[in-house]
Amino acid sequence: YKVIELVGVSTESWEKAAAAAVATASKSLKDLRIASVSELDMKIENGQVSGYRARVKVSFKYRD
C-alpha cells in the first residue's frame, strides 16, 4: 500500500473538505482503503471564516 497526503477544501465544513479530498483522489486512484484527517484549518477573510481545509492521508493499493 502507498499513503499520500491531500488537501480538500469546502466553504461549508471540515467534513465536506475531507470528503472532497477523497472524491478527487478516487477519480485517478484505484483501491482506496483508509483515509485519516491529519490537520484541519480555516481560511479567514475580513474577520470571518470563508473556507475550511482538511489535510487527509489516503492509503491505496498500487502495482509496480
Side-chain angles (χ1 to χ4, degrees):
Y1 294 94
K2 181 158 180 77
V3 177
I4 60 170
E5 192 168 61
L6 306 166
V7 176
V9 296
S10 170
T11 57
E12 297 177 35
S13 69
W14 284 307
E15 184 177 317
K16 288 187 179 187
V22 172
T24 299
S26 71
K27 291 177 184 176
S28 60
L29 301 174
K30 302 294 182 212
D31 294 326
L32 296 180
R33 298 293 182 181
I34 302 290
S36 64
V37 176
S38 60
E39 189 175 330
L40 300 171
D41 60 39
M42 294 178 282
K43 183 177 179 184
I44 301 171
E45 294 178 2
N46 300 319
Q48 300 289 322
V49 174
S50 63
Y52 299 86
R53 295 189 318 176
R55 190 174 299 238
V56 180
K57 292 183 180 180
V58 178
S59 68
F60 61 97
K61 200 175 199 179
Y62 74 99
R63 293 179 178 82
D64 288 334

